[in-house]
Amino acid sequence: MKWRRLPLVFLLVAVRISVAETNSPETLPIGAPAPDFKLPAVDGKKYSLKDFKKADILVVVFTCNHCPTAQYYEERLKRIEDDYGRKGVALVAINPNDPKSVRLDELGYTDLSDSFAEMKVRAKHKHFNFPYLYDGDKEEVSRAYGPVATPHAFVFDKARRLRYTGRVDDSERPELVKTHDLRNAIDALLAGQEVKGKQTKSFGCSIKWAGKGEAVKQYFAKLAEEPVNVELVDAAGLKELRKNNSGKVRLINFWATWCGPCITEFPDLITIHRMYRHRAFELVTVCANYPDEKKEVLAFLQKRQASCRNLLFGDTDKYKLMEAFDPKWAGALPYTVLLGPEGDVLYRRQEAIDPLELKRAIVAALKEDRFK
């Protein structure tokens, strides 16, 4: 193929494909020795292959916090550790993702991203019973193994030769699983037998290899260009807001420009808006300033890039408006309410929010029935 004869558009496509292929490493082949590592874990220790030298079988699983597929397999990995830990099998999980290469709109199914600090929170909250290691800064270990998606399992024998690589099983939904590939590989090795089906495809979120920082910057620049508006709302409008006939999970935050805690928590609300807005979710902010302060309110919202739906009290009788939305509201700001699609209250806070607690409530509200 002579590159000089190709149209420019095909040259650009070819270059992009070449870059993509270079960025994604080859998966470790069957029979290859286990690449060594020395990585920090959420328990404060650093682990390498020698820390698992007593194990007859070593299972290395590349997984992460934010991927919904990876989340569905967390309990299954814990059960594998419980079932095989006393049989000479060691399981270690490694997070391969560069957290700086993860956009907010990729976090729509999680309460946490993939930083080391957030890994510690996830492991504690989910009671991980296996070491959870971080490789997101350099990704050298992950590139040596070559996982395709999260989760991706690698099984090594006593000599630390790769005997199986691929999926944990064949379905995210436990009730639909027909082939327990990872368990089958472990059972075969424990029995001194060859593994049938030594390599399977892994399915899940792509690995967030470093180098996507510029794309993340462009994403934030695009967000900054979104229009920001504010409209007046009366008592009838607030009653409709509270009913929530939107069919979405609705987060409503009452605030004011003069309220210190309101100003402090506002960036967290915008982050939440950006994380979940592509799902059946919406954020509505309601400012408790007076109607004649609309210009000041809009300036604040524009500075914070609040491209969500924004309302402002349209009446000077604030008590009438408060009563119209929620008679239980004592009147303190900030005031935050999370409503289900049918108007049921899922979360209510008459003080500053706990962002993690609120995100967990949102994720639970958005969780599809088929995965409950």
Side-chain angles (χ1 to χ4, degrees):
M1 180 182 293
K2 296 183 178 181
W3 289 82
R4 59 185 177 84
R5 293 182 179 178
L6 288 173
L8 179 59
V9 64
F10 288 106
L11 286 174
L12 291 175
V13 171
V15 169
R16 287 176 180 173
I17 292 174
S18 176
V19 170
E21 290 175 346
T22 301
N23 194 43
S24 300
E26 294 291 328
T27 300
L28 195 70
I30 296 297
D36 202 359
F37 50 83
K38 189 174 183 180
L39 296 173
V42 297
D43 61 4
K45 302 177 183 178
K46 284 191 175 181
Y47 288 85
S48 60
L49 285 180
K50 66 180 181 181
D51 293 301
F52 307 98
K53 61 183 180 181
K54 294 182 180 180
D56 294 325
I57 298 171
L58 175 63
V59 179
V60 179
V61 180
F62 288 85
T63 186
C64 67
N65 288 346
H66 89 273
C67 174
T69 304
Q71 293 172 15
Y72 299 144
Y73 280 96
E74 288 172 340
E75 292 303 317
R76 274 170 266 190
L77 293 179
K78 288 166 59 177
R79 286 196 294 271
I80 287 174
E81 172 64 27
D82 285 337
D83 294 344
Y84 292 99
R86 297 180 182 179
K87 298 180 180 180
V89 178
L91 188 152
V92 57
I94 299 176
N95 177 6
N97 289 341
D98 169 29
K100 297 186 295 296
S101 295
V102 182
R103 301 190 312 268
L104 287 177
D105 59 347
E106 294 178 298
L107 303 179
Y109 291 79
T110 182
D111 55 337
L112 297 164
S113 189
D114 290 331
S115 70
F116 188 38
E118 289 168 298
M119 286 172 58
K120 295 178 181 179
V121 176
R122 184 75 181 180
K124 182 178 180 180
H125 181 62
K126 292 297 182 177
H127 306 289
F128 286 177
N129 56 0
F130 46 79
Y132 190 23
L133 282 53
Y134 177 64
D135 189 36
D137 286 343
K138 297 182 178 179
E139 300 182 315
E140 293 175 348
V141 174
S142 301
R143 288 191 171 277
Y145 281 78
V148 175
T150 50
H152 190 148
F154 295 78
V155 180
F156 298 91
D157 59 19
K158 183 67 174 179
R160 295 302 179 259
R161 294 284 175 174
L162 183 63
R163 304 293 292 276
Y164 171 79
T165 178
R167 65 196 185 191
V168 176
D169 55 44
D170 62 345
S171 180
E172 293 170 299
R173 305 187 195 182
E175 69 273 14
L176 298 181
V177 173
K178 297 179 181 177
T179 306
H180 299 272
D181 304 271
L182 179 53
R183 284 178 174 267
N184 291 343
I186 295 172
D187 288 337
L189 292 179
L190 287 175
Q193 301 172 354
E194 281 292 314
V195 177
K196 295 180 180 179
K198 295 180 174 61
Q199 188 165 0
T200 60
K201 293 182 179 179
S202 59
F203 174 83
C205 299
S206 62
I207 306 300
K208 302 305 180 285
W209 301 113
K212 298 180 180 179
E214 185 59 34
V216 173
K217 289 181 181 178
Q218 293 175 5
Y219 161 76
F220 277 108
K222 187 176 181 181
L223 289 176
E225 296 175 355
E226 294 180 349
V228 177
N229 300 295
V230 62
E231 57 185 285
L232 299 179
V233 63
D234 58 14
L238 289 174
K239 286 182 179 179
E240 285 300 313
L241 187 69
R242 173 60 186 84
K243 287 181 181 178
N244 190 18
N245 295 320
S246 66
K248 299 180 179 180
V249 174
R250 174 178 285 173
L251 178 63
I252 306 167
N253 174 257
F254 288 83
W255 66 285
T257 58
W258 43 261
C259 168
C262 300
I263 306 307
T264 301
E265 73 176 12
F266 209 87
D268 289 318
L269 293 167
I270 299 305
T271 295
I272 288 171
H273 165 64
R274 292 171 172 176
M275 287 174 63
Y276 305 112
R277 67 178 184 171
H278 61 285
R279 302 188 65 190
F281 170 86
E282 66 174 355
L283 167 66
V284 182
T285 75
V286 185
C287 185
N289 283 52
Y290 286 105
D292 59 4
E293 297 173 316
K294 183 177 181 180
K295 184 177 180 180
E296 176 188 349
V297 172
L298 180 59
F300 174 91
L301 293 169
Q302 289 174 332
K303 185 176 181 180
R304 272 68 179 184
Q305 300 177 9
S307 59
C308 53
R309 184 185 177 193
N310 301 298
L311 305 176
L312 169 63
F313 275 6
D315 195 306
T316 56
D317 187 346
K318 297 184 179 182
Y319 297 96
K320 178 177 68 176
L321 297 177
M322 290 162 48
E323 185 72 16
F325 179 79
D326 184 4
K328 295 182 180 180
W329 179 13
L333 293 177
Y335 179 49
T336 304
V337 178
L338 181 67
L339 301 176
E342 297 180 358
D344 48 321
V345 177
L346 306 177
Y347 175 97
R348 179 187 279 123
R349 180 63 66 89
Q350 299 195 49
E351 56 187 18
I353 62 169
D354 177 332
L356 181 57
E357 180 184 43
L358 178 54
K359 284 186 282 188
R360 284 175 177 166
I362 294 170
V363 171
L366 292 173
K367 194 173 183 66
E368 296 92 344
D369 290 340
R370 66 180 183 275
F371 291 130
K372 287 184 178 179

